[in-house]
Amino acid sequence: MVSVKAVVEIHTYFNSRLLLKLLPKEEEQVIVSRERTTKFKRWLDM
């Protein structure tokens, strides 16, 4: 789980997935699966 306020950047990633940059910075990469990309963008109101 992540807070909307924690999302600093969103980058496209392999196979239509999303790579998130968060604050505070996470040790591991945070990736949104391609199956959830649409719902994630809707959640962010994009």
Side-chain angles (χ1 to χ4, degrees):
M1 293 181 124
V2 97
S3 168
V4 172
K5 294 177 184 178
V7 180
V8 178
E9 294 178 21
I10 302 172
H11 300 277
T12 54
Y13 199 62
F14 302 104
N15 294 324
S16 302
R17 295 179 291 172
L18 300 175
L19 175 64
L20 306 181
K21 280 202 163 190
L22 306 175
L23 284 180
K25 189 175 178 179
E26 292 294 319
E27 291 181 22
E28 295 184 30
Q29 290 183 330
V30 178
I31 300 171
V32 179
S33 70
R34 64 181 153 178
E35 291 85 11
R36 296 185 181 193
T37 299
T38 303
K39 287 183 180 182
F40 181 80
K41 287 181 177 179
R42 197 175 316 132
W43 177 69
L44 285 177
D45 200 24
M46 292 180 74

